[in-house]
Short mmCIF file of all heavy atoms in Angstrom, two decimals:
data_model
loop_
_atom_site.label_atom_id
_atom_site.label_comp_id
_atom_site.label_asym_id
_atom_site.label_seq_id
_atom_site.Cartn_x
_atom_site.Cartn_y
_atom_site.Cartn_z
N SER J 33 8.95 -14.04 -16.31
CA SER J 33 9.57 -13.52 -15.09
C SER J 33 10.42 -14.61 -14.45
O SER J 33 9.96 -15.74 -14.25
CB SER J 33 8.47 -13.07 -14.12
OG SER J 33 9.04 -12.59 -12.93
N GLY J 34 11.68 -14.30 -14.17
CA GLY J 34 12.58 -15.25 -13.55
C GLY J 34 13.32 -16.16 -14.52
O GLY J 34 14.28 -16.83 -14.13
N ALA J 35 12.91 -16.18 -15.78
CA ALA J 35 13.57 -17.04 -16.77
C ALA J 35 14.85 -16.36 -17.28
O ALA J 35 14.97 -15.13 -17.24
CB ALA J 35 12.64 -17.33 -17.94
N VAL J 36 15.79 -17.17 -17.73
CA VAL J 36 17.04 -16.64 -18.26
C VAL J 36 17.27 -17.23 -19.65
O VAL J 36 17.26 -18.46 -19.82
CB VAL J 36 18.24 -17.00 -17.35
CG1 VAL J 36 19.55 -16.53 -17.96
CG2 VAL J 36 18.04 -16.41 -15.96
N LEU J 37 17.46 -16.36 -20.62
CA LEU J 37 17.89 -16.79 -21.94
C LEU J 37 19.38 -17.04 -21.81
O LEU J 37 20.15 -16.11 -21.59
CB LEU J 37 17.60 -15.71 -22.98
CG LEU J 37 18.01 -16.01 -24.43
CD1 LEU J 37 17.30 -17.26 -24.94
CD2 LEU J 37 17.71 -14.81 -25.31
N LYS J 38 19.79 -18.30 -21.88
CA LYS J 38 21.17 -18.70 -21.56
C LYS J 38 22.20 -17.96 -22.41
O LYS J 38 21.89 -17.41 -23.47
CB LYS J 38 21.34 -20.21 -21.71
CG LYS J 38 21.23 -20.69 -23.13
CD LYS J 38 21.40 -22.18 -23.21
CE LYS J 38 21.30 -22.62 -24.67
NZ LYS J 38 21.50 -24.03 -24.83
N GLU J 39 23.43 -17.98 -21.93
CA GLU J 39 24.53 -17.31 -22.62
C GLU J 39 24.65 -17.83 -24.05
O GLU J 39 24.57 -19.03 -24.30
CB GLU J 39 25.84 -17.52 -21.88
CG GLU J 39 25.93 -16.72 -20.61
CD GLU J 39 27.32 -16.75 -20.00
OE1 GLU J 39 28.13 -17.64 -20.34
OE2 GLU J 39 27.59 -15.88 -19.16
N HIS J 40 24.83 -16.89 -24.97
CA HIS J 40 24.97 -17.21 -26.39
C HIS J 40 25.64 -16.04 -27.08
O HIS J 40 25.87 -15.00 -26.46
CB HIS J 40 23.60 -17.52 -27.01
CG HIS J 40 22.67 -16.35 -26.98
ND1 HIS J 40 22.00 -15.95 -25.84
CD2 HIS J 40 22.33 -15.46 -27.94
CE1 HIS J 40 21.27 -14.88 -26.12
NE2 HIS J 40 21.46 -14.55 -27.38
N GLN J 41 25.90 -16.19 -28.37
CA GLN J 41 26.47 -15.11 -29.17
C GLN J 41 25.63 -14.91 -30.41
O GLN J 41 25.05 -15.85 -30.93
CB GLN J 41 27.90 -15.45 -29.61
CG GLN J 41 28.89 -15.52 -28.48
CD GLN J 41 30.30 -15.79 -28.98
OE1 GLN J 41 30.54 -16.01 -30.15
NE2 GLN J 41 31.24 -15.76 -28.04
N SER J 42 25.58 -13.67 -30.86
CA SER J 42 24.93 -13.33 -32.11
C SER J 42 26.02 -13.24 -33.17
O SER J 42 27.07 -12.65 -32.93
CB SER J 42 24.20 -11.98 -31.97
OG SER J 42 23.70 -11.58 -33.22
N MET J 43 25.79 -13.82 -34.33
CA MET J 43 26.79 -13.77 -35.39
C MET J 43 26.89 -12.37 -36.01
O MET J 43 27.90 -12.02 -36.59
CB MET J 43 26.47 -14.80 -36.48
CG MET J 43 26.44 -16.24 -35.94
SD MET J 43 27.82 -16.67 -34.85
CE MET J 43 29.16 -16.75 -35.99
N THR J 44 25.84 -11.59 -35.88
CA THR J 44 25.83 -10.22 -36.41
C THR J 44 25.46 -9.25 -35.30
O THR J 44 24.92 -9.64 -34.26
CB THR J 44 24.79 -10.08 -37.54
OG1 THR J 44 23.48 -10.35 -37.01
CG2 THR J 44 25.06 -11.03 -38.68
N GLU J 45 25.72 -7.99 -35.53
CA GLU J 45 25.29 -6.96 -34.60
C GLU J 45 23.76 -6.99 -34.53
O GLU J 45 23.10 -7.29 -35.51
CB GLU J 45 25.76 -5.60 -35.12
CG GLU J 45 25.73 -4.51 -34.12
CD GLU J 45 26.39 -3.24 -34.64
OE1 GLU J 45 26.54 -3.09 -35.86
OE2 GLU J 45 26.75 -2.43 -33.79
N ALA J 46 23.21 -6.69 -33.38
CA ALA J 46 21.76 -6.79 -33.20
C ALA J 46 21.26 -5.65 -32.32
O ALA J 46 22.03 -4.97 -31.63
CB ALA J 46 21.39 -8.13 -32.57
N LEU J 47 19.95 -5.47 -32.35
CA LEU J 47 19.27 -4.48 -31.53
C LEU J 47 18.15 -5.18 -30.79
O LEU J 47 17.33 -5.88 -31.40
CB LEU J 47 18.70 -3.38 -32.44
CG LEU J 47 18.13 -2.15 -31.79
CD1 LEU J 47 19.24 -1.36 -31.08
CD2 LEU J 47 17.48 -1.27 -32.85
#
Side-chain angles (χ1 to χ4, degrees):
S33 179
V36 176
L37 180 60
K38 67 181 181 178
E39 287 189 342
H40 63 282
Q41 293 183 355
S42 174
M43 300 315 288
T44 61
E45 196 172 20
L47 189 66

